[in-house]
Amino acid sequence: MKNSEEFRFKIVVVGDGAVGKTSLIKKFTKGTFEKDYVKTIGAQFSKYNKEFDGDMVRLLFWDIAGQDDFNFLHHLFYKESKAAIIVYSLEENELGLNSFTHVKNWYEAVEINCGDIPIVLFANKVDLLDENSLDTTEIQQLINDHNFLNYFFTSAKTGQMVVEAFNAIIEQLYFKFKTL
Ligand code: G3D
Ligand code: MG
């Protein structure tokens, strides 16, 4: 019988305010949701454990609490992150459009603070629009210009693609560190 291993991964979840970061984490971690608040750096984290192939994967999702500004986020927030999730909102209003424009800023901030870690893009609030009529030209352009591991159209409200999107990044980390 093989020995069971344990992995610990910190994953930062960034993006403009009100795009749905906290809702997405809550949706994914639901039953086992615990959170704590790191007041000094304006962050909160949620723990989630998941078994993979007999191994234990302990996840810590770090989320920005309150004011979200890609320029002023404390470096401790990013410290030792193994992956990042960038969230924007598909809402067709100022919040949504700005959050899309700022994806590149969040991407830069992750690169500067974390180096070369896997980054996944969540286009959230997909429940608010008709996915079939969504013009993906700009999204495709963004994906082409950056090195995202993957991207997903998610909804924290309906749960659409939430589990799949989180699992994509967790599996990626598991297999990356498992084979070391
Ligand atoms: P943040 O953590 O990125 O700041 P929140 O964002 O998770 O606090 O979400 C901000 C608001 O958007 C919340 O509304 C939340 O319910 C809503 N929201 C989050 N995700 C979705 C989604 O996928 N679809 C829809 N329709 N709404 C979403 P309130 O009104 O509670 O402030
Ligand atoms: Mg929040």
Side-chain angles (χ1 to χ4, degrees), residues 41-172:
I41 64 169
Q44 60 193 1
F45 60 89
S46 310
K47 295 177 189 169
Y48 186 74
N49 297 337
K50 192 178 162 72
E51 230 182 85
F52 251 108
D53 205 17
D55 294 326
M56 183 55 86
V57 179
R58 298 187 188 280
L59 300 156
L60 262 188
F61 293 103
W62 283 61
D63 174 19
I64 307 153
Q67 211 45 56
D68 312 347
D69 188 326
F70 45 83
N71 290 315
F72 296 106
L73 211 50
H74 203 287
H75 73 278
L76 282 178
F77 175 79
Y78 290 106
K79 199 172 178 230
E80 284 168 17
S81 299
K82 295 289 186 288
I85 295 170
I86 300 177
V87 185
Y88 77 93
S89 170
L90 289 164
E91 278 169 293
E92 283 157 353
N93 56 24
E94 202 180 329
L95 183 148
L97 297 173
N98 283 340
S99 75
F100 180 75
T101 307
H102 293 153
V103 168
K104 60 180 187 312
N105 302 96
W106 288 109
Y107 188 98
E108 244 171 56
V110 170
E111 271 194 325
I112 290 167
N113 288 284
C114 307
D116 184 22
I117 59 170
I119 306 175
V120 175
L121 181 66
F122 288 13
N124 193 40
K125 307 200 187 184
V126 68
D127 59 281
L128 292 178
L129 43 88
D130 176 8
E131 211 178 328
N132 297 319
S133 63
L134 180 65
D135 180 4
T136 57
T137 320
E138 282 191 308
I139 302 167
Q140 278 304 336
Q141 190 61 48
L142 184 73
I143 296 294
N144 293 342
D145 292 347
H146 299 81
N147 187 24
F148 287 107
L149 175 68
N150 214 333
Y151 70 101
F152 297 90
F153 293 97
T154 61
S155 169
K157 187 173 179 182
T158 66
Q160 183 181 333
M161 290 307 275
V162 172
V163 171
E164 291 86 345
F166 276 98
N167 278 344
I169 203 155
I170 297 165
E171 275 177 34
Q172 163 80 12

